[in-house]
Each structure stands twice: as structure tokens, then as C-alpha cells.
Amino acid sequence: MERIFCPSCRLQQPIDHAYCVRCGHGLPTHLLEQAPVKRARFFAGVKVSDRDSANAFLRVSCYLKEQTFSTPEGSVVIPGHHVRFSIWNGEQAQCVLSIPETEARSLAHFIEEELSKLDDALPAT
Ligand SMILES: [Zn+2]
């Protein structure tokens, strides 16, 4: 894992810290060329049956790199290379599912391929 030095006390620590764990000094994380570890997008749902919610949406989070969150009680490691889907109804997540990167690539390819058939079916303009 990449590390950063505190400019005040020189303690080395993970780059995802915003403040030094020893002295509380702000860490110069803005200086790091850092790719985001996670990106998320929301996709609006469409109501196709009476049982469907009118304001449901899909949240897709791509976890690119492993991420460690440290707290005084211990640390939690969120693995990278997976995509997490959650179905939201208003403010509440109804269910979640994570799939590995390989499955996510397969899903993206599947959707791309199926939707391209729709493009072929469009009348020529
Ligand atoms: Zn420090």
C-alpha cells in the first residue's frame, strides 16, 4: 500500500488518511497523483409493472483498488476489483449484490451486445 509522510512529525501512514494519526496535522494528500479507488453512478429505474416503484434507481459502484479504513477499534479492508449493485427505493437500499471484475466485464459486454441489436433494428435515417 502507498504511504504518505506527515509534514509535521514525519510519521508514515496510509495515503487514505486526511490527518496524521499521531499529531493531527493535515496530510498533503492533494500532492498525490491518486486514482480514485471507487466510482459510483446512479441509473434511473423505469416503471414497467404496477408492482414497480416509480422512484427506484440502481446504484453501481466500481471498487477499483483495495481500500483500508483505520479506526481506533481496528481496520476494515474493502477489497478492490469488484462492482457493487444496490437497488434503491427513495432513500433506502432494498438489496445489494457484488460481482467480481471478471463478471462485471462480462455483464458490460452482454448489455453492449444486446443493445447493439436494437441499433441494428432502427430504421435507417
Ligand atoms: Zn504528524
Side-chain angles (χ1 to χ4, degrees):
M1 175 187 265
E2 292 177 88
R3 316 285 287 182
I4 189 170
F5 286 94
C6 171
S8 175
C9 74
R10 308 297 302 153
L11 180 72
Q12 195 185 37
Q13 51 211 294
I15 56 169
D16 55 350
H17 287 186
Y19 298 94
C20 176
V21 292
R22 182 193 284 158
C23 72
H25 196 279
L27 299 174
T29 52
H30 61 283
L31 298 177
L32 297 167
E33 287 273 336
Q34 189 184 358
V37 292
K38 171 189 159 185
R39 276 188 194 273
R41 265 184 71 180
F42 294 94
F43 299 90
V46 60
K47 188 173 166 66
V48 294
S49 96
D50 290 343
R51 290 170 35 209
D52 293 355
S53 168
N55 62 341
F57 56 91
L58 175 69
R59 179 187 158 122
V60 180
S61 303
C62 294
Y63 289 83
L64 309 174
K65 294 198 295 190
E66 183 178 287
Q67 200 174 7
T68 306
F69 295 98
S70 302
T71 66
E73 294 80 40
S75 63
V76 178
V77 177
I78 309 282
H81 302 280
H82 74 278
V83 177
R84 190 164 179 84
F85 298 89
S86 46
I87 294 173
W88 292 72
N89 194 353
E91 297 288 298
Q92 195 140 41
Q94 304 291 303
C95 64
V96 294
L97 171 73
S98 294
I99 62 175
E101 182 185 332
T102 50
E103 286 293 291
R105 287 182 190 279
S106 174
L107 171 65
H109 182 72
F110 170 72
I111 293 173
E112 185 71 50
E113 203 170 61
E114 291 304 307
L115 292 184
S116 74
K117 293 173 187 168
L118 291 177
D119 294 343
D120 297 341
L122 286 176
T125 50

